[in-house]
Amino acid sequence: MGKREVYVSVDVEADGPIPGAYSMLSFGMSACGALDGDGFRPVDPAETTFYAELKPISDAYVPEALAVSGLDRERLAAEGREPSEAMDAAADWVRAVAASVEASPVLVAYPLGFDWMFLYWYWTRFTEAGSPFGHSRHLDIKTAYATKAGSQIIRSTKSQMPAELLSDRPHTHNALDDAIEQAELFQHLVRWGGPPRRPGKDLAG
């Protein structure tokens, strides 16, 4: 049996386009399942989760970005978790999930770039141990779909995916809700055999 991996779906809500100048206000994580030499074993993504709301780290924000999450910066400034405490707790949670199945954790997101950028920056900036995913144990669900479907990235949005891949859960822009929804998309995609082959010039006969 090869090395086992456990996949963790992550979603971030932020008040601007980049970390540092702007703040990550919340993030959610959901365990999706594990992969080893015997195949992929999904788990209920709503069963093992982590969620945190953080204090803003700057006064700058983009009103349109803030409106997406519906979070209140003033409330978070008073009640949100300190970034160092939240990121340490999140890293401990990831390591515990991985240890429970003796696996290496892999972060999955859709799209990966935005969520990974914020999380990796926060783990690097606010914790001593850094990212529990290292610097490269991550997978972009959008790219995975494009590869399996033989599709262009610009044609790999959720609205263009087959209905059987999508979760029945609503996309609420609550980071935990969306991480769970995204976990189900990932589970479906792992098991998906790809689109039906269409007769074409590449087929004999």
Side-chain angles (χ1 to χ4, degrees):
M1 183 177 68
K3 180 72 173 177
R4 182 181 291 116
E5 294 180 335
V6 61
Y7 297 95
V8 178
S9 170
V10 178
D11 184 74
V12 164
E13 297 296 331
D15 62 13
I18 58 172
Y22 302 98
S23 306
M24 178 168 66
L25 300 181
S26 68
F27 65 100
M29 301 191 290
S30 164
C32 306
L35 177 69
D36 58 22
D38 295 323
F40 179 68
R41 294 181 175 84
V43 298
D44 180 354
E47 186 173 306
T48 305
T49 63
F50 181 94
Y51 177 71
E53 295 182 351
L54 285 68
K55 293 181 182 294
I57 61 171
S58 79
D59 292 332
Y61 67 94
V62 176
E64 294 81 2
L66 183 62
V68 169
S69 69
L71 292 168
D72 184 330
R73 278 176 52 93
E74 291 187 6
R75 179 183 68 79
L76 292 177
E79 302 174 5
R81 297 169 73 165
E82 293 292 342
S84 57
E85 183 275 326
M87 300 315 293
D88 275 332
D92 288 344
W93 179 88
V94 171
R95 295 185 181 106
V97 168
S100 71
V101 291
E102 299 180 337
S104 296
V106 177
L107 182 150
V108 298
Y110 179 101
L112 175 72
F114 181 83
D115 303 279
W116 176 252
M117 172 176 60
F118 271 91
L119 286 163
Y120 187 71
W121 190 92
Y122 266 69
W123 269 313
T124 302
R125 172 67 177 81
F126 292 109
T127 71
E128 292 186 7
S131 164
F133 300 99
H135 70 278
S136 63
R137 287 200 308 274
H138 47 64
L139 185 152
D140 179 28
I141 296 174
K142 193 172 192 178
T143 302
Y145 169 78
T147 301
K148 269 199 168 185
S151 172
Q152 296 173 305
I153 288 292
I154 59 173
R155 299 185 184 278
S156 298
T157 63
K158 290 180 183 178
S159 64
Q160 295 167 307
M161 292 181 182
E164 64 265 27
L165 292 181
L166 303 178
S167 170
D168 292 330
R169 299 174 187 269
H171 192 76
T172 66
H173 290 292
N174 170 278
L176 182 55
D177 288 348
D178 291 354
I180 294 170
E181 176 211 3
Q182 181 179 264
E184 292 187 345
L185 168 61
F186 176 73
Q187 291 173 339
H188 297 163
L189 182 59
V190 169
R191 294 185 294 237
W192 187 51
R197 292 189 68 180
R198 292 179 294 180
K201 293 180 180 179
D202 59 320
L203 299 180

